[in-house]
Amino acid sequence: MVKRFYDIPYYTFSFWTDMAVVCPKCSKAGVVYFDKEKNIAFFRCKSCYTQKEVFLGEKYAFEVISQCTSTGKYFRLSISNDKVHGQKIRVKCPYCGESIIGDISNIREKQCIVFENIRHAKDPYFHYPLYFQVGYKGKIIWALNRKHLQYLIDYLSADIRTVQAEFYKTYKTMYSQSDMLPAFMKTAKNRDKIVKLLLKLQAK
């Protein structure tokens, strides 16, 4: 039986999503979450009850949105306010390092996917390692939480990957969540092996 998967909007899992991380005190799973109203990030460990919080202020209220001319990948990067002097800025592509001119956007009211710390399998607020991560051929595969992990398994193990007929009209975007996945994860020769690794992570 053919397994069909319908993708979801690209902003479904973002750095405002609750993240499972490794507790720095007991090494078990803790949770990092962000309160948008208070602009405060919280860490809670249910095992040892360690708690932390950090007020983010207004330092990172902007992001750069661009497409790399070499890899063809779209990316977003958070930038500090003191670097904003107009509508565009030159930044380095997080995938290949090429210098790219990108559009500046205010992110106070928006969710976004690519954040430098998350790209390296750490939460962006306390920099704790993500709980669900595994190495594959020198690269890191990670999931923000169990729902994100299940999404990756369902997407990669499907025979047909598509979107619902009204996807673009309903969500007002041309991009799905899978557009943010690195190419090596979506390559046919890697998918089965990566799914096996992700299934092991589910047992944690």
Side-chain angles (χ1 to χ4, degrees):
M1 183 177 179
V2 175
K3 184 178 180 181
R4 184 183 297 268
F5 178 83
Y6 291 100
D7 213 342
I8 55 181
Y10 78 97
Y11 52 76
T12 303
F13 298 107
S14 74
F15 68 82
W16 284 345
T17 300
D18 289 357
M19 289 170 267
V21 298
V22 178
C23 176
K25 186 174 182 179
C26 70
S27 298
K28 294 185 179 180
V31 177
V32 169
Y33 60 96
F34 180 64
D35 187 321
K36 290 187 289 184
E37 297 297 326
K38 298 179 180 180
N39 206 22
I40 297 176
F42 297 90
F43 166 74
R44 300 287 186 271
C45 179
K46 294 181 179 180
S47 297
C48 68
Y49 305 107
T50 296
Q51 300 183 26
K52 289 187 178 181
E53 63 181 58
V54 60
F55 176 66
L56 301 183
E58 298 295 329
K59 183 179 180 181
Y60 292 99
F62 297 90
E63 68 177 2
V64 178
I65 306 172
S66 190
Q67 181 182 20
C68 180
T69 55
S70 294
T71 65
K73 294 182 178 180
Y74 285 89
F75 64 88
R76 296 168 181 262
L77 294 174
S78 293
I79 56 174
S80 58
N81 298 358
D82 56 4
K83 293 184 178 180
V84 177
H85 303 290
Q87 298 300 313
K88 294 182 180 294
I89 189 173
R90 185 175 291 277
V91 296
K92 289 186 178 181
C93 170
Y95 299 104
C96 70
E98 180 178 347
S99 181
I100 304 292
I101 294 178
D103 296 318
I104 295 176
S105 175
N106 190 303
I107 63 172
R108 289 189 182 95
E109 302 300 327
K110 295 171 62 178
Q111 289 183 315
C112 60
I113 293 294
V114 179
F115 197 92
E116 188 68 12
N117 287 294
I118 293 181
R119 192 171 71 85
H120 293 290
K122 296 181 180 179
D123 86 86
Y125 311 114
F126 302 94
H127 313 303
Y128 297 155
L130 294 178
Y131 187 70
F132 298 111
Q133 63 171 288
V134 65
Y136 179 74
K137 294 186 176 180
K139 301 180 183 295
I140 302 176
I141 299 172
W142 50 262
L144 296 177
N145 51 39
R146 288 195 180 277
K147 288 185 178 180
H148 188 206
L149 179 60
Q150 187 62 58
Y151 163 83
L152 294 176
I153 293 171
D154 292 342
Y155 173 81
L156 295 174
S157 60
D159 299 307
I160 298 176
R161 302 163 190 82
T162 185
V163 293
Q164 297 285 358
E166 297 296 315
F167 179 88
Y168 304 112
K169 182 179 179 180
T170 301
Y171 299 110
K172 312 298 183 183
T173 179
M174 294 296 291
Y175 307 109
S176 60
Q177 183 74 54
S178 62
D179 289 329
M180 297 301 170
L181 293 179
F184 81 91
M185 288 184 66
K186 296 187 282 188
T187 302
K189 65 179 181 180
N190 292 332
R191 286 198 299 264
D192 288 344
K193 294 178 181 178
I194 291 176
V195 168
K196 290 180 180 179
L197 293 175
L198 295 176
L199 288 172
K200 289 182 179 180
L201 287 181
Q202 276 192 322
K204 293 184 68 175

